[in-house]
Amino acid sequence: MSQNQSATRTQHTRKTRLIRRLALAAPVAGLALAAAVIPAGIASANVNPNPTTTTVSSSANPSGFKVLVTYTATIDFWAGGTGYPVDKGTVSFTDNGRPITGCTAIPVDEYLTWPTCQAYLSLGTHTVAATYNQTVPWYLGSTGSMTQKVIW
């Protein structure tokens, strides 16, 4: 991720946190003011959860046999047609539908340190999936996957 993308994600995260604080703290009369600065879709986050998109990336693909590979899950939610990073919830990784040891219920944190999983996979082709489970009512869960090839 470039420094510019990182700065943009950080800016979106800060705005999202501020917006949530305003929405929770503002009396009903003050919600109109909060709604004026909230991107479309976030204002109704507690009523209509925002859909999320989960993507999975690999540190090496194809990878060699007995090589430790790091998988990273990136989760964004879509509000008003714009993707913002998710800052709450957990992610679980699977290999061909089976949980990867040590890679379940990894927290998504507010500092946007994306959940990672390190694993040795057997020879062959694997479907590595990451499932985002929301822990707050303003996001919906989602699953993303990738094909990992392990060669000799």
Side-chain angles (χ1 to χ4, degrees), residues 95-96 121-128 146-151:
D95 170 23
N96 292 331
L121 301 181
S122 61
L123 288 172
T125 302
H126 301 262
T127 299
V128 176
M146 62 162 291
T147 302
Q148 176 72 44
K149 293 185 180 186
V150 180
I151 58 175

Side-chain angles (χ1 to χ4, degrees), residues 45-102:
N46 289 330
V47 177
N48 299 312
N50 290 292
T52 61
T53 301
T54 300
T55 56
V56 183
S57 60
S58 167
S59 62
N61 194 8
S63 63
F65 183 60
K66 295 189 179 181
V67 172
L68 186 64
V69 177
T70 301
Y71 300 98
T72 303
T74 305
I75 307 97
D76 291 318
F77 74 93
W78 296 90
T82 304
Y84 297 93
V86 167
D87 61 352
K88 301 280 186 225
T90 62
V91 171
S92 295
F93 290 87
T94 59
D95 170 23
N96 292 331
R98 292 180 304 277
I100 298 175
T101 303

